[in-house]
């Protein structure tokens, strides 16, 4: 109805669209479906159970898709014999605003399944990219350091609101903490555990979100998160989070860094986004993303990266791999291995080569 109220859809079209939906309480009507998309919470066992049931009740040609944002598809489908028709279809929140559709293909997924999902993306007016399979896939994996870098800065003395404002000034629609409040702490914790299990050596282990969750501060839905909320999503700074920040610092052993507090908003944005570039280089180096331009498109359409900067990789090349490596190495010495430059980025920097023009040869048959 919000689209009707905003004049983006007529009431007749709304009623017609709604009439096409049918609610069911069992799998009886799944015998004739061509596409089944699962959208439950990030719980591996629950997703495995659902896919085993879908395989049993859906026709053999039905594509089985999951809207997981982080969980490896091989893990989700390991209790089925249908890996050839299992794909990821990751819509980005809020789905009615973000135009990206990330289609995840495992080595065992059929070409037909991918082509069908590309057609679905076109019909629902999304911009699709096809990526490989791993924890977080291309986009969420690339951006998981975004919030983690912000949490590290808070543990070392910086204010939540200052970091968010620096990211907004950089061109993001909202900052990392406001974004975490929007998606909810339950999602943040679930995805964080996936990254911790799969990439433990480069996850910054902040206790701030777990501590707040214990006191039922779970984001915008609970009216309290990193901000407090009144009315229509109006966020305002909340001095109550100071006690959680102090406890998080105590547990992590971090102390406020006076020099860090002197840096300007431009430098804050670099400390938040250079780790994103670093992870994007890993995604490219591993062949999870097939070309740098896919990550540029994904960063803009999926994560709200400012379009006028050309996308995350284009922006990286405007700075230069050498400078990015130099800064990451300095921060690694000061704040730990979270900032350690990856081998792909180090190689490009050493050779003086740009990141965007990287070409890869793949053995997969398309």
């Amino acid at each position: 109805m919000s689209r009707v109220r905003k004049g983006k859809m007529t009431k007749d079209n709304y009623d017609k669209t709604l009439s096409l939906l049918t609610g069911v309480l069992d799998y009886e009507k799944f015998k004739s479906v061509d596409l089944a998309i699962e959208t439950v919470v990030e719980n591996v066992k629950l997703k495995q159970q659902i896919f085993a049931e879908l395989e049993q009740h859906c026709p053999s040609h039905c594509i089985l898709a999951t809207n997981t944002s982080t969980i490896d598809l091989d893990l989700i489908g390991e209790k089925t014999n249908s890996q050839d028709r299992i794909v990821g279809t990751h819509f980005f929140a809020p789905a009615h605003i973000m135009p990206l559709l990330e289609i995840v293909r495992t080595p065992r997924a059929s070409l037909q399944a991918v082509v069908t999902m590309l057609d679905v993306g076109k019909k629902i007016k999304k911009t699709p990219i096809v990526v490989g399979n791993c924890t977080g896939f291309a986009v969420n994996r690339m951006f998981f350091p975004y919030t983690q870098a912000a949490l590290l800065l808070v543990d070392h003395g910086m204010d939540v609101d200052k970091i968010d404002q620096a990211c907004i000034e950089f061109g993001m629609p909202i900052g990392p903490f406001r974004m975490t409040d929007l998606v909810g702490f339950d999602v943040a914790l679930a995805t964080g555990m996936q990254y911790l299990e799969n990439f433990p050596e480069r996850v910054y282990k902040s206790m701030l979100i777990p501590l707040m969750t214990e006191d039922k501060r779970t984001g915008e839905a609970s009216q309290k998160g990193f901000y407090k909320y009144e009315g229509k999503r109006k966020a305002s700074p909340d001095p109550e989070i100071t006690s959680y920040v102090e406890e998080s610092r105590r547990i992590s052993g971090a102390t406020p860094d006076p020099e860090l507090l002197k840096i300007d908003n431009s430098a804050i944005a670099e400390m938040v986004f250079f780790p994103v570039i670093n992870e994007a280089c890993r995604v490219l180096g591993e062949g999870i993303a097939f070309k740098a331009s896919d990550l540029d498109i994904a960063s803009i359409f999926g994560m709200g990266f400012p379009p006028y900067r050309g996308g995350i990789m284009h922006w990286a090349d405007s700075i230069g791999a050498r400078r990015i490596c130099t800064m990451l190495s300095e921060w690694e010495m000061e704040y730990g291995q979270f900032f350690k430059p990856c081998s792909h980025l180090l190689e490009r920097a050493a050779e003086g080569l740009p990141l965007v023009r990287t070409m890869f040869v793949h053995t997969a048959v398309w």
Side-chain angles (χ1 to χ4, degrees), residues 56-68:
Q56 182 180 351
H57 292 93
C58 295
S60 59
H61 71 273
C62 178
I63 295 173
L64 308 178
T66 174
N67 190 36
T68 180

Side-chain angles (χ1 to χ4, degrees), residues 11 34 163 186 201 208 217 247 249 264 296 299 339 352:
K11 182 63 164 58
D34 300 315
I163 297 167
D186 54 341
E201 74 286 352
L208 185 52
R217 297 182 70 105
E247 180 64 6
R249 287 172 183 160
D264 61 19
D296 283 335
S299 65
F339 289 107

Side-chain angles (χ1 to χ4, degrees), residues 213-360:
T213 303
E214 286 180 5
D215 278 358
K216 303 190 184 306
R217 297 182 70 105
T218 56
E220 187 177 311
S222 67
Q223 300 293 296
K224 286 185 177 182
F226 288 105
Y227 298 90
K228 57 183 178 182
Y229 296 87
E230 298 174 5
K232 294 183 178 180
R233 293 186 170 180
K234 185 178 180 181
S236 57
D238 189 351
E240 288 185 8
I241 70 166
T242 301
S243 60
Y244 299 102
V245 171
E246 290 174 351
E247 180 64 6
S248 176
R249 287 172 183 160
R250 186 191 67 79
I251 294 172
S252 68
T255 55
D257 179 358
E259 294 302 312
L260 185 65
L261 302 184
K262 296 176 183 178
I263 67 175
D264 61 19
N265 282 358
S266 177
I268 293 172
E270 289 187 347
M271 290 193 77
V272 171
F273 282 107
F274 281 11
V276 175
I277 295 169
N278 197 28
E279 194 66 27
C281 287
R282 290 189 180 98
V283 168
L284 277 173
E286 294 170 18
I288 300 302
F290 305 130
K291 53 186 183 295
S293 58
D294 282 346
L295 297 183
D296 283 335
I297 292 169
S299 65
I300 293 169
F301 287 168
M303 301 305 293
F305 194 82
Y308 66 87
R309 295 188 185 273
I312 188 71
M313 301 306 291
H314 184 87
W315 177 65
D317 270 341
S318 73
I319 298 167
R322 284 178 176 168
R323 180 168 181 271
I324 294 168
C325 266
T326 297
M327 297 308 299
L328 285 171
S329 297
E330 288 182 7
W331 297 332
E332 180 191 4
M333 293 182 64
E334 187 71 25
Y335 304 109
Q337 66 177 2
F338 170 75
F339 289 107
K340 183 177 181 179
C342 71
S343 58
H344 181 72
L345 180 57
L346 286 167
E347 288 167 7
R348 305 302 286 185
E351 296 173 16
L353 296 174
L355 301 170
V356 168
R357 296 176 186 172
T358 303
M359 299 295 292
F360 295 95

Side-chain angles (χ1 to χ4, degrees), residues 188-204:
L189 287 173
T191 56
M193 288 304 298
Q194 288 293 319
Y195 293 124
L196 185 60
E197 287 179 21
N198 290 276
F199 313 119
E201 74 286 352
R202 59 180 187 270
V203 171
Y204 178 69

